[in-house]
Amino acid sequence: MTPAPAFNKPKVELHVHLDGSIKPETILYFGKKRGIALPADTAEELQKIIGMDKPESLPYFLSKFEYYMPAIAGSREAIKRIAYEFVEMKAKEGVVYVEVRYSPHLLANSKVEPIPWNQAEGDLTPDEVADLVNQGLREGEKAFGIKARSILCCMRHQPEWSPEVVEMCKKYRHQGTVAMDMAGDENIQGSSYFPGHLEAYKEAVRSGIHRTVHAGEVCSPEIVREAVDVLKTERVGHGYHTLEDEALYARLRKENMHFEVCPWSSYLTGAWKAETEHPVVRFKNDKVNYSLNSDDPLIFMSTLDTDYQMTKRDMGFTEEEFKRLNINAAKSSFLPEDEKEELLNQLYKAYGMPLPPAAAAGQDP
Ligand SMILES: [Zn+2]
């Protein structure tokens, strides 16, 4: 019954949350095993309660994590397993390279203030969480034959965690962690300027840690400008509202900024109003550097193919555009240059495209 994939070729995904990509069966398993109450007894019921299928608000979406994070957070076994299963999920979707993000603090129960999800204090620190996720990803890579790297998230409302996040990025940069992100509620006034965030992003620049930031998903282009000018981000998570400031949009196009677009997510969170043209259509027409991503498939009851189907069916996206955006995603990935070139060559080959003389030199606008 599953329809043929909209783009049945190797894909690159750059914006997907580990804690938004867990199998309902796994949540149920750990809820039972650890004696943690969940709102349902079967995977189907649980999926219905956690999932969304019509447009709501970003805060409503964020409230979904409360249901199931207590079953996973604080468990070494659960954290390693969700990372491993994530790689399996992506391999099935035809993804050959993925960068998966999460907040190590939100999966810990020790050395984190406040302790999230009403957990009792335990002995699992954010630092060990980062290590466990990388272990699970590595085991998944071996088992399923694709490449997976991690991005560690700062949270807008917890600036005091951010300096620890950048230190973990430095510590685990050779174990699979490739960058730092900022997630959470971008409505929090002045959050781009919170000293903890400023300090962490400055340190990331200083030590060569790659940077992305959720910005302009639901808020004004000003947040995008702050992400670029204040936090020195190299990619923009979502960034739809950039289009409300033509001068900023023109500048970011000129700078070949990469936009991590999540179409189905933007519909359900209300970041995009369905009666208007989706920003990704403008990005396509202007040949902007962007990617297509699933964001939180558990909550959006989707796969990466949902985003490809949606753009193909409703927005007229072609096979050629899918190839172009995946090549841009590979070029804007946070892999080291030699691995980036390898990934690009893999895509050129699979897409039946000639290898350019210097495959990884610069990014085509
Ligand atoms: Zn996101």
Side-chain angles (χ1 to χ4, degrees):
M1 281 301 284
T2 330
F7 182 55
N8 201 8
K9 297 210 159 60
K11 289 175 279 294
V12 172
E13 188 171 15
L14 302 179
H15 188 126
V16 53
H17 296 257
L18 179 63
D19 46 350
S21 311
I22 309 172
K23 287 159 72 173
E25 293 81 3
T26 304
I27 295 168
L28 219 52
Y29 172 84
F30 286 104
K32 276 185 191 146
K33 183 169 179 180
R34 303 174 70 202
I36 291 163
L38 287 168
D41 294 324
T42 67
E44 293 71 37
E45 277 174 70
L46 189 62
Q47 173 70 85
K48 246 186 254 163
I49 293 168
I50 295 171
M52 299 168 61
D53 59 4
K54 61 177 197 314
E56 297 279 356
S57 67
L58 196 59
Y60 174 84
F61 155 76
L62 292 171
S63 73
K64 295 287 189 179
F65 291 87
E66 311 267 345
Y67 287 122
Y68 65 91
M69 285 296 273
I72 303 294
S75 161
R76 291 177 173 83
E77 188 193 349
I79 289 163
K80 212 172 145 179
R81 175 148 149 204
I82 61 169
Y84 178 86
E85 290 179 347
F86 174 83
V87 183
E88 179 180 27
M89 186 187 300
K90 289 298 143 188
K92 279 188 187 152
E93 294 175 3
V95 172
V96 291
Y97 175 67
V98 61
E99 290 173 4
V100 61
R101 60 186 74 193
Y102 65 99
S103 157
H105 291 84
L106 290 179
L107 288 166
N109 63 11
S110 170
K111 296 199 179 158
V112 50
E113 180 54 43
I115 297 176
W117 321 113
N118 292 316
Q119 298 175 91
E121 186 167 2
D123 63 356
L124 183 56
T125 63
D127 186 283
E128 195 186 344
V129 168
D131 190 31
L132 287 164
V133 170
N134 285 335
Q135 284 178 37
L137 295 178
R138 263 198 309 275
E139 285 175 24
E141 287 184 318
K142 276 197 203 108
F144 307 108
I146 68 167
K147 196 175 264 200
R149 297 289 179 268
S150 62
I151 295 175
L152 305 183
C153 300
C154 303
M155 299 304 296
R156 289 241 176 222
H157 66 293
Q158 298 286 5
E160 64 284 5
W161 292 351
S162 296
E164 298 173 13
V165 173
V166 72
E167 288 309 312
M168 285 183 255
C169 290
K170 286 156 69 178
K171 182 172 173 185
Y172 293 112
R173 69 197 308 175
H174 300 298
Q175 274 87 47
T177 300
V178 291
M180 187 163 90
D181 175 41
M182 174 113 68
D185 185 358
E186 61 173 318
N187 277 303
I188 299 170
Q189 274 296 316
S191 54
S192 305
Y193 294 95
F194 288 167
H197 297 326
L198 283 179
E199 195 189 310
Y201 271 81
K202 218 184 244 174
E203 179 56 26
V205 173
R206 208 164 25 225
S207 26
I209 297 297
H210 286 299
R211 303 159 306 280
T212 183
V213 172
H214 281 73
E217 178 179 7
V218 293
C219 282
S220 71
E222 191 50 33
I223 308 288
V224 179
R225 195 197 323 273
E226 289 171 6
V228 176
D229 289 336
V230 179
L231 300 173
K232 311 286 179 200
T233 195
E234 298 165 87
R235 301 197 313 229
V236 176
H238 303 279
Y240 316 123
H241 290 264
T242 307
L243 293 181
E244 288 158 26
D245 182 338
E246 287 292 340
L248 177 66
Y249 178 54
R251 177 192 147 193
L252 295 186
R253 276 178 65 193
K254 210 165 130 202
E255 293 172 4
N256 197 35
M257 178 59 74
H258 182 88
F259 293 90
E260 305 161 354
V261 176
C262 311
W264 181 238
S265 157
S266 71
Y267 169 68
L268 290 180
T269 60
W272 163 61
K273 305 280 175 263
E275 62 275 11
T276 63
E277 181 181 84
H278 197 288
V280 77
V281 174
R282 177 91 190 269
F283 291 169
K284 167 177 70 82
N285 294 341
D286 292 344
K287 296 221 173 297
V288 166
N289 176 10
Y290 71 91
S291 51
L292 290 183
N293 306 278
S294 63
D295 208 7
D296 296 277
L298 165 66
I299 298 171
F300 303 136
M301 299 197 284
S302 65
T303 67
L304 183 55
D305 186 51
T306 311
D307 294 278
Y308 281 79
Q309 295 285 2
M310 178 179 169
T311 47
K312 185 178 176 179
R313 189 189 56 227
D314 304 338
M315 304 172 195
F317 277 46
T318 61
E319 182 98 351
E320 287 318 299
E321 182 64 9
F322 289 148
K323 288 178 183 175
R324 190 188 76 86
L325 72 90
N326 275 281
I327 284 164
N328 276 330
K331 287 177 178 172
S332 301
S333 74
F334 291 140
L335 282 172
E337 288 305 320
D338 55 333
E339 291 182 60
K340 203 183 270 192
E341 197 173 325
E342 207 174 288
L343 174 63
L344 276 163
N345 288 343
Q346 184 183 357
L347 295 186
Y348 289 132
K349 222 173 176 180
Y351 297 170
M353 293 163 78
L355 300 190
Q363 296 167 358
D364 298 329

